[in-house]
Every structure is written in C-alpha cells, then in structure tokens.
Amino acid sequence: PLELTLEQLAGYDGHDTAKPMLLAIKGVVYDVTKGKDYYGPNGIYPFAGKEVARAFALYSTELSDCNDNLEGLSYSEMEALRDWIGKFSSKYTIVGKIVGK
C-alpha cells in the first residue's frame, strides 16, 4: 500500500495522465481514476489529489473544505460522511493511507 503525505497526494490530481487519480477520505487513499469525469481537474468535484472528508460531510464543492477537519460537524453531516465512505469503499480501490500529519 502507498503511504503518502498530503503534499505527495497533490501530485495525483489528474493533471499527469501517466499517474492514477487519488483522493483521501479520513486518511484513507482511494484510486478514483475511473471516476475522472467527476473528480478530475475538469470534473464536477475536482477533488483528486486532496483529502476531502470535510467537503463530503458538508456536500460541499468548495476546495477550501477539502481537509480532514471534522470539528463542529453535526450528527447528520457525520452520517453523510459515513455514507460517502461506504460508497467509495464499494466503488473504488483503497490503495494506501496519508502519513506525516
């Protein structure tokens, strides 16, 4: 499994087509290459190369919400995040984790 810092993860944002597109949710890294139309640089949610736990919990498309800060989230927002994690775990391959935080 890959062990990436957030800085290294940023290199898997879809701009370099020779690399897979990766994103992280709560430190777990997923290969979202097959979802490039959604998560790539020109996608609806251009989140490849980022940690997206907060953004998913808030159903946010704001890049400023791409982090793992879950402080202040409501129960329903945490439930939304759990739903996203479930969807990603069944649809995309886990390829590693975030380290060095």
Side-chain angles (χ1 to χ4, degrees), residues 27-67:
V28 177
V29 179
Y30 297 85
D31 182 336
V32 295
T33 305
K34 68 182 181 182
K36 67 181 183 291
D37 293 339
Y38 294 104
Y39 304 110
N42 299 313
I44 305 164
Y45 308 103
F47 292 167
K50 297 176 177 53
E51 162 63 64
V52 299
R54 186 172 188 85
F56 278 9
L58 297 172
Y59 286 99
S60 171
T61 58
E62 298 297 321
L63 295 181
S64 61
D65 287 324
C66 288
N67 59 66

Side-chain angles (χ1 to χ4, degrees), residues 5-6 8 10 12 23 25 29-30 36 49 55-56 61 68-69 75-76 80 83 91 93 96 98 100:
T5 64
L6 289 173
Q8 290 169 322
Y12 294 87
L23 63 72
I25 306 173
V29 179
Y30 297 85
K36 67 181 183 291
F56 278 9
T61 58
D68 64 353
N69 178 3
Y75 178 80
S76 62
D83 287 348
K91 188 170 186 177
T93 304
I98 298 299

